[in-house]
Amino acid sequence: MAGVYLHIPFCFTLCGYCDFYKSTKLDKMDQFQNVLLMEMESRSVDFRFPIDTFYVGGGTPSLIAADFYQKLFSLLHKNFNCSVNMECTIEVNPDDISEDYLHALKNAGFNRVSIGIQSFHEQDLRQMGRRHNAQQSMQAVALANSCGFSNIGIDLIYGLPWSTEQFFEKNLQIVKDLPIQHLSAYHLTIEKGTGFHRLKQSGKLTEIDDSRSLREYEMLCNEVEKMGMQHYEVSNFCLSGYESKHNSSYWNGVPYLGLGPGSHSFDGKKRRWNKSDLTLYNKGNLDLIFEEEVLSEVDFFNEQVMLGLRTSKGISLTEMEIRFPHYYLDFLKRIDKWIHRNNLVVTNGFITCSESSWFVVDSIIEDLFVV
């Protein structure tokens, strides 16, 4: 099976933390929509995998009128071999949605919504540059639920320099009473090119220390476990059976097709990405908008390590031995020290990261890379 991802690069305002490709040139949306439909039809010719998941992210997909998504689904089903039970997700902002809009999205074909809440505290939202307020966040979840969405996810951000552990705990207490099935919680990282990075460079913003980061992470894990959610990936939690199938396909190495500027694709052998350039994309010359590379054995090995250790499933040692015989013995030696430190665990032939060590998993992954 495979997935299709659409990147909607438009935002009404720019959030200080976000490093995804986006544009505030909303007057370019109509032309973008025309090119996106053209790209979908064109790419369907050489991407012949059965489609099991469809995901619209951004940017802010909820800035696009629902009737466009109806056209999109028609073209998707016309040109791809789509599963009857295809998971179809759209990211929405709390202040964009209404009852009519949600019903239209559902009628178009979406069966899962991901609501970009980030925090239920007004100060947090103002500092991050979010357009909505806390009340709109709770109303958005309630509205999605009342409109018949039974697979609702929300996003939170923790590790905020101006906030406190107590405020984050209050966020989690609000979450436990919401009718959601999925939670993505990300520690704030200050990426180059963002507004927060510029503030950091000028000395106006400082990242929190590691000890507080760890305390908030442990609080997150403990509180979400009380909610009955499973911790199935470093930053993702869900009720049983509500894992994000689309995101899981990335972590499991399943092929996926990316459409729109800044999107990425993988066909099992090579990686392809559209340039992050809306002006170029909107010219509609599909031969000029992308770059690609054929992945080497080292690339595949490192990706297997990186993606596998970020999930509760982990890495199959048998699969590693079969796929990467040249690196397998050295891999066993490298993981041994992490096993003795109780950072990694071997269970039934799978190597996994202990939950307490997921907080530092990037350091473990980097040590296991072949360079």
Side-chain angles (χ1 to χ4, degrees):
M1 305 303 286
V4 174
Y5 172 79
L6 266 64
H7 188 71
I8 307 296
F10 298 100
C11 289
F12 194 75
T13 58
L14 300 181
C15 298
Y17 59 86
C18 180
D19 67 332
F20 290 111
Y21 178 63
K22 66 275 185 187
S23 171
T24 57
K25 298 177 180 178
L26 305 189
D27 59 318
K28 306 296 183 182
M29 282 201 297
D30 288 345
Q31 179 61 17
F32 162 79
Q33 292 174 26
N34 292 332
V35 177
L36 184 62
L37 294 174
M38 182 172 65
E39 186 191 12
M40 173 180 278
E41 191 160 24
S42 173
R43 292 298 306 279
S44 68
V45 175
D46 56 6
F47 194 85
R48 305 309 303 169
F49 301 95
I51 304 301
D52 195 37
T53 65
F54 178 58
Y55 194 106
V56 182
T60 312
S62 49
L63 288 177
I64 301 287
D67 59 355
F68 171 73
Y69 291 122
Q70 293 174 344
K71 297 177 185 177
L72 206 58
F73 270 99
S74 295
L75 195 63
L76 182 73
H77 286 285
K78 175 184 176 182
N79 289 280
F80 294 88
N81 178 14
C82 297
S83 166
V84 175
N85 299 314
M86 182 169 59
E87 177 194 84
C88 302
T89 305
I90 183 170
E91 296 177 355
V92 299
N93 270 20
D95 54 326
D96 288 334
I97 59 176
S98 64
E99 184 175 356
D100 288 343
Y101 187 71
L102 285 171
H103 277 307
L105 293 179
K106 200 167 189 296
N107 290 335
F110 290 108
N111 51 35
R112 184 175 184 270
V113 291
S114 178
I115 306 174
I117 289 175
Q118 317 311 350
S119 176
F120 294 97
H121 299 295
E122 303 296 352
Q123 181 188 10
D124 293 346
L125 297 171
R126 286 195 300 270
Q127 292 275 19
M128 286 188 281
R130 302 296 292 169
R131 288 186 285 130
H132 65 277
N133 58 44
Q135 185 62 32
Q136 287 173 316
S137 294
M138 290 181 277
Q139 289 174 343
V141 176
L143 194 58
N145 183 60
S146 67
C147 288
F149 282 97
S150 57
N151 195 345
I152 302 170
I154 67 170
D155 291 353
L156 289 182
I157 296 179
Y158 64 101
L160 303 175
W162 58 83
S163 190
T164 66
E165 295 169 49
Q166 290 72 30
F167 275 110
F168 181 56
E169 184 176 17
K170 289 180 182 178
N171 272 338
L172 295 174
Q173 295 307 311
I174 292 172
V175 169
K176 75 177 184 179
D177 294 324
L178 297 177
I180 65 168
Q181 292 73 40
H182 192 280
L183 170 66
S184 297
Y186 305 99
H187 191 289
L188 176 68
T189 55
I190 299 180
E191 305 287 355
K192 289 183 178 180
T194 63
F196 279 3
H197 185 255
R198 290 187 287 275
L199 289 175
K200 180 180 177 180
Q201 286 182 312
S202 66
K204 296 179 181 178
L205 188 66
T206 304
E207 293 172 278
I208 68 174
D209 59 49
D210 290 344
S211 59
R212 183 184 146 195
S213 292
L214 180 58
R215 288 194 300 273
E216 291 196 10
Y217 174 75
E218 290 175 341
M219 180 194 302
L220 168 68
C221 295
N222 292 334
E223 292 302 317
V224 173
E225 183 179 5
K226 294 176 186 177
M227 300 175 201
M229 287 192 173
Q230 302 169 354
H231 191 178
Y232 74 100
E233 194 269 346
V234 172
S235 303
N236 287 277
F237 309 79
C238 70
L239 297 178
S240 179
Y242 286 93
E243 297 87 350
S244 169
K245 293 180 181 178
H246 185 83
N247 289 338
S248 295
S249 69
Y250 296 148
W251 306 323
N252 294 327
V254 174
Y256 53 88
L257 173 65
L259 304 171
S263 65
H264 288 244
S265 303
F266 173 63
D267 66 2
K269 294 181 179 179
K270 64 178 180 292
R271 189 83 60 204
R272 173 170 168 160
W273 58 96
N274 284 353
K275 298 173 184 177
S276 298
D277 187 332
L278 177 62
T279 300
L280 175 65
Y281 185 84
N282 274 3
K283 290 179 179 178
N285 189 334
L286 300 181
D287 292 330
L288 298 179
I289 66 172
F290 71 92
E291 297 176 327
E292 64 182 10
E293 65 175 347
V294 177
L295 299 181
S296 67
E297 187 178 20
V298 170
D299 293 330
F300 277 114
F301 176 89
N302 288 342
E303 287 205 359
Q304 185 83 358
V305 170
M306 177 182 66
L307 298 175
L309 287 183
R310 292 182 60 88
T311 69
S312 59
K313 178 183 176 181
I315 302 170
S316 167
L317 291 175
T318 300
E319 184 177 344
M320 293 295 282
E321 183 177 18
I322 293 172
R323 290 190 62 191
F324 309 107
H326 296 105
Y327 307 118
Y328 183 67
L329 292 179
D330 183 62
F331 176 67
L332 292 181
K333 293 177 183 177
R334 286 170 177 258
I335 66 174
D336 191 57
K337 73 174 182 180
W338 296 107
I339 293 172
H340 282 90
R341 295 176 184 176
N342 297 318
N343 297 114
L344 297 180
V345 180
V346 179
T347 307
N348 298 324
F350 280 80
I351 183 77
T352 58
C353 189
S354 62
E355 184 172 34
S356 61
S357 298
W358 257 347
F359 186 70
V360 293
V361 71
D362 289 342
S363 298
I364 300 172
I365 289 169
E366 186 177 354
D367 181 66
L368 298 177
F369 275 169
V370 172
V371 294

